[in-house]
Coordinates of all heavy atoms in Angstrom, one line a residue:
M79 N 0.8 -1.2 0.0 CA 0.0 0.0 0.0 C 0.8 1.2 0.0 O 1.3 1.7 1.1 CB -0.9 0.0 1.2 CG -1.6 -1.2 1.5 SD -3.0 -1.5 0.4 CE -3.0 -3.3 0.3
G80 N 1.3 1.7 -1.1 CA 2.1 2.8 -1.3 C 1.4 4.1 -1.1 O 0.2 4.2 -1.0
P81 N 2.1 5.2 -1.3 CA 1.4 6.5 -1.3 C 0.6 6.8 -2.4 O 0.8 6.3 -3.5 CB 2.7 7.5 -1.1 CG 3.7 6.8 -1.8 CD 3.5 5.3 -1.5
K82 N -0.5 7.5 -2.2 CA -1.4 8.0 -3.3 C -1.0 9.5 -3.5 O -0.9 10.2 -2.5 CB -2.8 7.8 -2.9 CG -3.1 6.3 -2.8 CD -4.6 6.2 -2.6 CE -5.1 6.4 -1.2 NZ -6.6 6.2 -1.0
R83 N -1.2 9.9 -4.7 CA -1.0 11.4 -5.0 C -2.4 12.1 -4.9 O -3.3 11.6 -5.3 CB -0.4 11.5 -6.4 CG 1.1 11.4 -6.4 CD 1.5 12.3 -7.6 NE 3.0 12.3 -7.6 CZ 3.6 13.4 -7.0 NH1 2.9 14.4 -6.5 NH2 4.9 13.4 -6.9
D84 N -2.3 13.3 -4.2 CA -3.5 14.1 -4.1 C -3.1 15.6 -4.2 O -2.4 16.0 -3.4 CB -4.2 13.8 -2.8 CG -5.4 14.6 -2.6 OD1 -6.1 14.9 -3.7 OD2 -5.6 15.1 -1.5
K85 N -3.3 16.1 -5.4 CA -2.8 17.5 -5.7 C -1.4 17.8 -5.4 O -1.1 18.7 -4.8 CB -3.9 18.5 -5.0 CG -5.3 18.3 -5.4 CD -6.0 19.4 -4.7 CE -7.6 19.0 -5.2 NZ -8.4 19.9 -4.4
G86 N -0.6 16.8 -5.8 CA 0.9 17.1 -5.5 C 1.4 16.7 -4.3 O 2.6 16.8 -4.0
R87 N 0.6 16.3 -3.3 CA 1.0 15.8 -2.0 C 0.9 14.2 -2.0 O 0.0 13.7 -2.6 CB 0.2 16.3 -0.9 CG 0.4 17.9 -0.9 CD -0.6 18.4 0.2 NE -1.9 17.9 -0.1 CZ -3.0 18.3 0.6 NH1 -2.9 19.3 1.5 NH2 -4.1 18.0 0.2
F88 N 1.8 13.7 -1.1 CA 1.7 12.2 -1.0 C 0.8 12.0 0.3 O 1.0 12.6 1.4 CB 3.1 11.6 -0.7 CG 3.7 11.3 -2.0 CD1 4.9 12.0 -2.3 CD2 3.4 10.4 -3.1 CE1 5.5 12.0 -3.4 CE2 4.0 10.1 -4.2 CZ 5.1 10.9 -4.4
I89 N -0.2 11.1 0.1 CA -1.0 10.8 1.3 C -0.9 9.3 1.6 O -1.2 8.5 0.7 CB -2.5 11.2 1.0 CG1 -2.6 12.7 0.8 CG2 -3.4 10.6 2.3 CD1 -4.0 13.1 0.4
Y90 N -0.4 8.9 2.8 CA -0.3 7.5 3.1 C -1.6 7.0 3.7 O -2.3 7.7 4.4 CB 0.8 7.3 4.0 CG 2.2 7.3 3.4 CD1 2.8 8.6 3.3 CD2 2.7 6.3 2.9 CE1 4.0 8.6 2.7 CE2 3.9 6.3 2.2 CZ 4.6 7.5 2.1 OH 5.8 7.5 1.5
K91 N -1.9 5.8 3.3 CA -3.2 5.1 3.8 C -3.0 4.9 5.3 O -2.1 4.2 5.8 CB -3.3 3.8 3.1 CG -4.7 3.2 3.2 CD -4.8 2.1 2.2 CE -6.1 1.4 2.3 NZ -6.3 0.4 1.4
I92 N -3.9 5.4 6.0 CA -3.9 5.3 7.5 C -4.4 3.9 8.0 O -3.7 3.2 8.8 CB -4.8 6.4 8.2 CG1 -4.1 7.8 7.8 CG2 -4.7 6.2 9.7 CD1 -2.9 8.1 8.3
M93 N -5.6 3.5 7.5 CA -6.1 2.2 7.9 C -6.2 1.3 6.7 O -6.5 1.8 5.5 CB -7.5 2.5 8.5 CG -7.4 3.3 9.8 SD -8.9 3.4 10.6 CE -9.2 1.8 11.2
S94 N -6.1 0.0 6.9 CA -6.2 -0.9 5.8 C -7.7 -1.4 5.7 O -8.6 -1.1 6.4 CB -5.4 -2.2 6.3 OG -5.8 -2.7 7.5
K95 N -7.9 -2.1 4.5 CA -9.2 -2.6 4.2 C -9.5 -3.7 5.1 O -8.7 -4.3 5.7 CB -9.3 -2.9 2.8 CG -9.1 -1.9 1.8 CD -9.2 -2.4 0.4 CE -9.0 -1.2 -0.6 NZ -9.1 -1.6 -1.9
I96 N -10.8 -4.2 5.1 CA -11.2 -5.2 5.9 C -10.4 -6.6 5.5 O -10.2 -6.8 4.3 CB -12.7 -5.4 6.0 CG1 -13.2 -6.4 7.0 CG2 -13.3 -5.9 4.6 CD1 -14.7 -6.5 7.3
F97 N -10.1 -7.4 6.3 CA -9.5 -8.7 6.2 C -8.0 -8.5 5.6 O -7.5 -9.3 4.8 CB -10.2 -9.7 5.3 CG -11.6 -10.0 6.0 CD1 -12.7 -9.8 5.2 CD2 -11.7 -10.4 7.2 CE1 -13.9 -10.0 5.7 CE2 -12.9 -10.7 7.7 CZ -14.0 -10.5 6.9
S98 N -7.3 -7.3 5.8 CA -6.0 -7.1 5.4 C -5.3 -6.1 6.5 O -6.0 -5.5 7.2 CB -5.9 -6.5 4.1 OG -6.4 -5.2 4.1
L99 N -4.0 -6.3 6.4 CA -3.2 -5.5 7.3 C -2.1 -4.7 6.6 O -1.6 -5.3 5.6 CB -2.6 -6.3 8.5 CG -3.5 -7.0 9.4 CD1 -2.8 -8.0 10.2 CD2 -4.2 -6.0 10.3
N100 N -1.7 -3.5 7.0 CA -0.6 -2.9 6.4 C 0.4 -2.6 7.5 O 0.2 -2.9 8.6 CB -1.1 -1.6 5.6 CG -1.8 -0.6 6.5 OD1 -1.6 -0.6 7.7 ND2 -2.5 0.3 5.9
L101 N 1.5 -2.0 7.0 CA 2.6 -1.7 8.0 C 2.2 -0.8 9.1 O 2.7 -1.1 10.2 CB 3.8 -1.0 7.2 CG 5.1 -0.8 8.0 CD1 5.6 -2.1 8.6 CD2 6.1 -0.1 7.2
S102 N 1.4 0.1 8.8 CA 0.9 1.0 10.0 C 0.1 0.3 11.1 O 0.3 0.5 12.2 CB 0.0 2.0 9.3 OG -0.6 2.9 10.4
D103 N -0.6 -0.8 10.7 CA -1.3 -1.6 11.6 C -0.3 -2.3 12.6 O -0.5 -2.4 13.8 CB -2.3 -2.6 11.0 CG -3.3 -2.0 10.2 OD1 -3.8 -1.0 10.6 OD2 -3.7 -2.6 9.2
W104 N 0.7 -2.9 12.1 CA 1.7 -3.7 12.8 C 2.4 -2.6 13.7 O 2.7 -2.9 14.9 CB 2.6 -4.4 11.9 CG 2.1 -5.4 11.1 CD1 1.8 -5.4 9.8 CD2 1.6 -6.7 11.7 NE1 1.1 -6.5 9.5 CE2 1.1 -7.4 10.6 CE3 1.6 -7.3 13.0 CZ2 0.5 -8.7 10.7 CZ3 1.1 -8.6 13.0 CH2 0.5 -9.3 12.0
Q105 N 2.8 -1.5 13.3 CA 3.6 -0.5 14.1 C 2.6 0.0 15.3 O 3.1 0.2 16.4 CB 3.8 0.7 13.2 CG 5.0 0.5 12.1 CD 5.2 1.6 11.2 OE1 4.3 2.4 11.0 NE2 6.4 1.6 10.6
K106 N 1.4 0.3 15.0 CA 0.4 0.7 16.1 C 0.2 -0.4 17.1 O 0.0 -0.2 18.3 CB -0.9 1.1 15.5 CG -0.9 2.4 14.6 CD -2.2 2.8 14.0 CE -2.0 4.0 13.1 NZ -3.3 4.3 12.5
A107 N 0.2 -1.7 16.6 CA 0.1 -2.8 17.5 C 1.2 -2.9 18.4 O 1.1 -3.2 19.6 CB -0.1 -4.2 16.8
L108 N 2.4 -2.6 17.9 CA 3.6 -2.6 18.8 C 3.5 -1.5 19.8 O 3.9 -1.6 21.0 CB 4.8 -2.4 17.9 CG 6.2 -2.4 18.6 CD1 6.4 -3.9 19.3 CD2 7.3 -2.3 17.6
I109 N 3.0 -0.4 19.3 CA 2.9 0.8 20.4 C 1.9 0.4 21.5 O 2.2 0.7 22.7 CB 2.5 2.0 19.6 CG1 3.6 2.5 18.8 CG2 2.1 3.2 20.6 CD1 3.3 3.6 17.8
V110 N 0.8 -0.2 21.1 CA -0.2 -0.6 22.1 C 0.4 -1.6 23.1 O 0.2 -1.6 24.2 CB -1.4 -1.2 21.4 CG1 -2.3 -1.9 22.4 CG2 -2.2 -0.1 20.7
A111 N 1.2 -2.6 22.6 CA 1.9 -3.6 23.4 C 2.9 -2.9 24.4 O 3.0 -3.3 25.5 CB 2.6 -4.5 22.5
I112 N 3.6 -1.9 23.9 CA 4.5 -1.2 24.8 C 3.8 -0.3 25.8 O 4.2 -0.3 27.0 CB 5.4 -0.3 24.0 CG1 6.5 -1.2 23.1 CG2 6.3 0.6 24.8 CD1 7.2 -0.5 22.1
L113 N 2.8 0.3 25.4 CA 2.0 1.2 26.3 C 1.2 0.4 27.3 O 0.9 1.0 28.4 CB 1.1 2.2 25.5 CG 1.9 3.2 24.7 CD1 0.9 4.1 23.9 CD2 2.8 4.0 25.6
A114 N 0.8 -0.8 27.1 CA 0.1 -1.6 28.1 C 0.9 -1.9 29.2 O 0.3 -2.3 30.3 CB -0.5 -2.8 27.3
Q115 N 2.2 -2.0 29.1 CA 3.1 -2.5 30.2 C 3.0 -1.6 31.4 O 2.7 -2.2 32.6 CB 4.5 -2.6 29.7 CG 4.7 -3.6 28.7 CD 4.0 -4.9 28.9 OE1 4.3 -5.4 30.0 NE2 3.3 -5.4 28.0
P116 N 3.2 -0.3 31.3 CA 3.1 0.5 32.6 C 1.7 0.5 33.3 O 1.6 0.3 34.6 CB 3.3 1.9 32.0 CG 3.9 1.8 30.8 CD 3.5 0.5 30.2
I117 N 0.7 0.3 32.5 CA -0.7 0.1 33.0 C -0.9 -1.2 33.8 O -1.3 -1.2 34.9 CB -1.8 0.3 32.0 CG1 -1.7 1.6 31.4 CG2 -3.1 0.0 32.5 CD1 -2.6 1.8 30.1
A118 N -0.3 -2.2 33.2 CA -0.4 -3.5 33.9 C 0.5 -3.6 35.2 O 0.1 -4.1 36.2 CB 0.0 -4.6 32.9
Y119 N 1.7 -3.0 35.0 CA 2.6 -2.9 36.2 C 2.0 -2.1 37.3 O 2.0 -2.4 38.5 CB 3.9 -2.3 35.7 CG 4.9 -2.3 37.0 CD1 5.4 -3.4 37.6 CD2 5.3 -1.1 37.5 CE1 6.3 -3.4 38.6 CE2 6.2 -1.0 38.5 CZ 6.7 -2.2 39.1 OH 7.5 -2.2 40.1
I120 N 1.4 -0.9 37.1 CA 0.8 -0.2 38.2 C -0.3 -0.8 38.7 O -0.5 -0.8 40.0 CB 0.3 1.2 37.5 CG1 1.6 2.1 37.1 CG2 -0.6 2.0 38.5 CD1 1.2 3.3 36.4
Y121 N -1.2 -1.5 37.9 CA -2.3 -2.3 38.5 C -1.7 -3.4 39.5 O -2.3 -3.7 40.6 CB -3.1 -3.0 37.4 CG -4.1 -3.9 37.9 CD1 -5.3 -3.4 38.4 CD2 -3.9 -5.3 37.9 CE1 -6.3 -4.2 39.0 CE2 -5.0 -6.2 38.3 CZ -6.0 -5.6 38.9 OH -7.0 -6.6 39.4
S122 N -0.7 -4.1 39.1 CA -0.2 -5.2 39.9 C 0.5 -4.6 41.2 O 0.3 -5.3 42.2 CB 0.8 -6.0 39.2 OG 2.0 -5.2 38.9
V123 N 1.0 -3.5 41.2 CA 1.6 -2.9 42.3 C 0.4 -2.4 43.3 O 0.5 -2.6 44.5 CB 2.5 -1.6 42.0 CG1 2.8 -0.7 43.3 CG2 3.7 -2.1 41.4
V124 N -0.6 -1.8 42.8 CA -1.7 -1.4 43.6 C -2.5 -2.5 44.2 O -2.8 -2.6 45.4 CB -2.7 -0.5 42.8 CG1 -3.9 -0.2 43.4 CG2 -2.0 0.8 42.5
S125 N -2.7 -3.6 43.4 CA -3.5 -4.8 43.9 C -2.7 -5.6 44.9 O -3.2 -6.2 45.8 CB -3.9 -5.6 42.7 OG -2.9 -6.2 42.0
S126 N -1.3 -5.8 44.7 CA -0.5 -6.6 45.6 C 0.2 -5.9 46.6 O 0.6 -6.4 47.5 CB 0.4 -7.6 44.7 OG 1.5 -6.8 44.2
G127 N 0.6 -4.6 46.4 CA 1.3 -3.9 47.3 C 2.8 -4.1 47.2 O 3.6 -3.7 48.1
S128 N 3.2 -4.9 46.2 CA 4.6 -5.3 46.1 C 5.2 -4.6 44.7 O 4.4 -4.5 43.8 CB 4.7 -6.8 46.0 OG 6.0 -7.2 45.6
W129 N 6.4 -4.2 44.8 CA 7.1 -3.6 43.7 C 7.8 -4.7 42.9 O 8.5 -4.3 42.0 CB 8.1 -2.5 44.1 CG 7.4 -1.3 44.7 CD1 7.1 -1.2 46.0 CD2 6.9 -0.2 44.0 NE1 6.4 0.1 46.2 CE2 6.3 0.6 44.9 CE3 6.8 0.2 42.7 CZ2 5.6 1.8 44.5 CZ3 6.3 1.3 42.2 CH2 5.7 2.2 43.2
D130 N 7.6 -6.0 43.0 CA 8.3 -7.0 42.3 C 7.7 -7.1 40.9 O 6.4 -6.9 40.7 CB 8.2 -8.4 42.9 CG 8.8 -8.4 44.3 OD1 9.9 -7.7 44.5 OD2 8.5 -9.2 45.2
I131 N 8.5 -7.4 39.9 CA 8.0 -7.4 38.5 C 7.9 -8.9 38.2 O 8.9 -9.7 38.3 CB 9.0 -6.8 37.6 CG1 9.1 -5.3 37.9 CG2 8.6 -7.1 36.1 CD1 10.1 -4.6 37.0
N132 N 6.7 -9.3 37.8 CA 6.5 -10.7 37.3 C 6.6 -10.6 35.9 O 5.7 -10.2 35.1 CB 5.1 -11.1 37.7 CG 4.8 -12.6 37.3 OD1 5.5 -13.2 36.5 ND2 3.8 -13.1 38.0
W133 N 7.7 -11.2 35.3 CA 8.0 -11.1 33.9 C 7.1 -11.9 33.0 O 6.9 -11.5 31.8 CB 9.5 -11.4 33.6 CG 10.4 -10.4 34.2 CD1 11.2 -10.4 35.3 CD2 10.6 -9.0 33.7 NE1 11.9 -9.2 35.5 CE2 11.5 -8.4 34.6 CE3 10.1 -8.3 32.6 CZ2 12.0 -7.1 34.3 CZ3 10.6 -7.0 32.5 CH2 11.5 -6.4 33.3
N134 N 6.6 -12.9 33.6 CA 5.6 -13.7 32.8 C 4.3 -12.8 32.6 O 3.7 -12.9 31.4 CB 5.1 -14.9 33.6 CG 6.3 -15.9 33.6 OD1 7.2 -15.9 32.6 ND2 6.3 -16.8 34.6
N135 N 3.8 -12.1 33.5 CA 2.7 -11.2 33.3 C 3.0 -10.1 32.3 O 2.2 -9.6 31.5 CB 2.3 -10.6 34.7 CG 1.5 -11.7 35.6 OD1 1.2 -12.7 35.0 ND2 1.3 -11.4 36.9
V136 N 4.3 -9.6 32.5 CA 4.7 -8.5 31.5 C 4.7 -9.0 30.1 O 4.1 -8.3 29.2 CB 6.1 -8.0 31.9 CG1 6.6 -7.1 30.7 CG2 6.1 -7.2 33.2
L137 N 5.2 -10.2 29.8 CA 5.1 -10.7 28.4 C 3.7 -11.1 28.0 O 3.3 -10.8 26.8 CB 5.9 -12.0 28.5 CG 6.1 -12.7 27.1 CD1 6.7 -11.8 26.0 CD2 6.8 -14.0 27.3
L138 N 3.0 -11.6 28.9 CA 1.5 -11.9 28.6 C 0.7 -10.7 28.2 O -0.1 -10.7 27.3 CB 0.8 -12.7 29.7 CG -0.6 -13.0 29.5 CD1 -0.7 -14.1 28.4 CD2 -1.1 -13.6 30.9
T139 N 0.9 -9.6 29.0 CA 0.2 -8.4 28.7 C 0.7 -7.8 27.3 O -0.1 -7.4 26.5 CB 0.6 -7.3 29.7 OG1 0.1 -7.9 31.1 CG2 -0.3 -6.0 29.5
A140 N 1.9 -7.9 27.1 CA 2.4 -7.3 25.8 C 1.9 -8.2 24.6 O 1.4 -7.6 23.5 CB 3.9 -7.5 25.7
V141 N 1.9 -9.5 24.7 CA 1.4 -10.3 23.6 C -0.2 -10.2 23.4 O -0.6 -10.1 22.3 CB 1.8 -11.8 23.9 CG1 1.0 -12.8 22.9 CG2 3.3 -12.0 23.8
T142 N -0.8 -10.1 24.5 CA -2.2 -9.9 24.5 C -2.7 -8.5 23.9 O -3.6 -8.5 23.0 CB -2.9 -10.1 25.8 OG1 -2.6 -11.3 26.4 CG2 -4.3 -9.9 25.9
G143 N -2.0 -7.4 24.2 CA -2.2 -6.2 23.6 C -2.0 -6.2 22.2 O -2.7 -5.6 21.3
F144 N -0.8 -6.7 21.8 CA -0.4 -6.8 20.4 C -1.4 -7.6 19.6 O -1.9 -7.0 18.5 CB 1.0 -7.4 20.3 CG 1.6 -7.4 18.9 CD1 2.2 -6.4 18.5 CD2 1.5 -8.6 18.1 CE1 2.8 -6.4 17.1 CE2 2.0 -8.6 16.8 CZ 2.6 -7.5 16.4
L145 N -1.7 -8.8 19.9 CA -2.6 -9.6 19.2 C -4.1 -9.1 19.1 O -4.7 -9.1 18.1 CB -2.6 -10.9 19.7 CG -1.3 -11.9 19.5 CD1 -1.5 -13.2 20.1 CD2 -1.1 -12.0 18.0
G146 N -4.5 -8.4 20.3 CA -5.9 -7.8 20.3 C -5.9 -6.8 19.3 O -7.0 -6.6 18.5
Y147 N -4.9 -5.9 19.2 CA -5.0 -4.8 18.3 C -4.9 -5.3 16.9 O -5.5 -4.8 15.9 CB -3.8 -3.9 18.6 CG -4.0 -2.6 17.8 CD1 -4.7 -1.5 18.4 CD2 -3.4 -2.2 16.7 CE1 -4.9 -0.3 17.8 CE2 -3.6 -1.0 16.0 CZ -4.3 -0.1 16.5 OH -4.5 1.1 15.9
V148 N -4.0 -6.2 16.6 CA -4.0 -6.8 15.2 C -5.3 -7.4 14.7 O -5.8 -7.2 13.6 CB -2.7 -7.8 15.0 CG1 -2.9 -8.5 13.8 CG2 -1.4 -7.0 15.2
I149 N -5.8 -8.2 15.6 CA -7.1 -8.9 15.3 C -8.2 -7.9 15.0 O -8.9 -8.0 14.2 CB -7.5 -9.9 16.4 CG1 -6.5 -11.1 16.4 CG2 -8.9 -10.4 16.2 CD1 -6.6 -12.0 17.5
K150 N -8.2 -6.9 15.9 CA -9.3 -5.8 15.8 C -9.1 -5.1 14.4 O -10.1 -4.9 13.6 CB -9.2 -4.9 16.9 CG -10.1 -3.7 16.8 CD -9.4 -2.4 16.4 CE -10.0 -1.2 16.1 NZ -9.4 -0.3 15.3
N151 N -7.9 -4.7 13.9 CA -7.6 -4.0 12.7 C -7.9 -5.0 11.5 O -8.2 -4.7 10.5 CB -6.3 -3.6 12.7 CG -6.1 -2.2 13.4 OD1 -7.2 -1.7 13.9 ND2 -5.0 -1.7 13.5
F152 N -7.6 -6.4 11.7 CA -7.9 -7.2 10.6 C -9.4 -7.3 10.3 O -9.8 -7.5 9.2 CB -7.3 -8.7 11.0 CG -7.5 -9.7 9.9 CD1 -6.6 -9.6 8.8 CD2 -8.4 -10.6 9.9 CE1 -6.7 -10.7 7.8 CE2 -8.6 -11.6 8.9 CZ -7.7 -11.5 7.9
F153 N -10.3 -7.2 11.3 CA -11.7 -7.3 11.1 C -12.4 -6.0 10.9 O -13.5 -5.9 11.0 CB -12.3 -8.1 12.2 CG -12.1 -9.6 12.1 CD1 -11.2 -10.2 13.0 CD2 -12.6 -10.4 11.1 CE1 -10.8 -11.5 13.0 CE2 -12.3 -11.8 11.1 CZ -11.4 -12.3 12.0
S154 N -11.6 -4.8 10.8 CA -12.1 -3.6 10.7 C -12.0 -3.1 9.2 O -11.0 -3.4 8.5 CB -11.4 -2.6 11.7 OG -11.6 -2.9 12.9
T155 N -13.0 -2.2 8.9 CA -13.0 -1.6 7.5 C -12.0 -0.4 7.5 O -11.5 0.0 8.6 CB -14.4 -1.2 7.1 OG1 -14.8 -0.2 8.0 CG2 -15.3 -2.3 7.0
S156 N -11.8 0.3 6.3 CA -10.9 1.4 6.3 C -11.4 2.6 7.0 O -10.6 3.4 7.4 CB -10.6 1.7 4.8 OG -11.9 2.0 4.2
D157 N -12.6 2.6 7.3 CA -13.2 3.7 8.1 C -13.3 3.4 9.6 O -13.9 4.2 10.4 CB -14.5 4.3 7.6 CG -15.6 3.2 7.5 OD1 -15.3 2.0 7.7 OD2 -16.7 3.6 7.2
G158 N -12.8 2.2 10.1 CA -12.7 1.8 11.4 C -13.8 1.0 12.0 O -14.0 0.7 13.2
K159 N -14.8 0.6 11.2 CA -15.9 -0.2 11.6 C -15.5 -1.7 11.7 O -15.2 -2.2 10.7 CB -17.1 0.1 10.8 CG -17.7 1.6 10.8 CD -18.8 1.7 10.0 CE -19.4 3.2 10.1 NZ -20.7 3.3 9.4
V160 N -15.8 -2.2 12.8 CA -15.5 -3.7 13.0 C -16.6 -4.5 12.2 O -17.7 -4.3 12.4 CB -15.6 -4.1 14.5 CG1 -15.3 -5.6 14.6 CG2 -14.5 -3.3 15.3
L161 N -16.1 -5.3 11.3 CA -16.8 -6.1 10.4 C -17.9 -5.2 9.6 O -18.9 -5.7 9.1 CB -17.7 -7.2 11.2 CG -16.9 -8.3 11.8 CD1 -17.7 -9.2 12.6 CD2 -16.1 -9.2 10.7
G162 N -17.5 -4.0 9.4 CA -18.3 -3.1 8.6 C -19.5 -2.6 9.2 O -20.3 -1.9 8.6
R163 N -19.8 -2.9 10.5 CA -21.0 -2.5 11.2 C -20.9 -1.5 12.3 O -21.5 -0.6 12.5 CB -21.7 -3.7 11.6 CG -22.2 -4.6 10.5 CD -23.0 -5.7 11.0 NE -23.6 -6.6 9.8 CZ -23.1 -7.8 9.7 NH1 -22.3 -8.4 10.4 NH2 -23.6 -8.4 8.7
W164 N -19.9 -2.0 13.3 CA -19.8 -1.3 14.5 C -18.6 -0.2 14.6 O -17.6 -0.6 14.0 CB -19.7 -2.2 15.7 CG -20.8 -3.1 15.8 CD1 -22.1 -2.9 16.2 CD2 -20.8 -4.4 15.4 NE1 -22.9 -4.0 16.0 CE2 -22.1 -5.0 15.5 CE3 -19.8 -5.4 14.8 CZ2 -22.5 -6.3 15.3 CZ3 -20.2 -6.6 14.5 CH2 -21.4 -7.1 14.8
G165 N -18.8 1.0 15.1 CA -17.6 1.8 15.3 C -17.9 3.2 14.8 O -17.5 4.0 14.8

């Protein structure tokens, strides 16, 4: 999915079509996976009262966030509607 020309400017496609993924989807999924970590860590500190890091939970949170975002984008249309109906 390369750039499209619009009056002399290049416009990159932000969202992919339904049942497809582009590079932007993978990059955003990686960002979601990275940003989910502090939230999960703060939750574990508050709920347990311990500052210990459970690396299994960190990895599980990253993989879950990454896969969840990729799956959501795979089933979304180019205007963000899941399965073309919701959103």
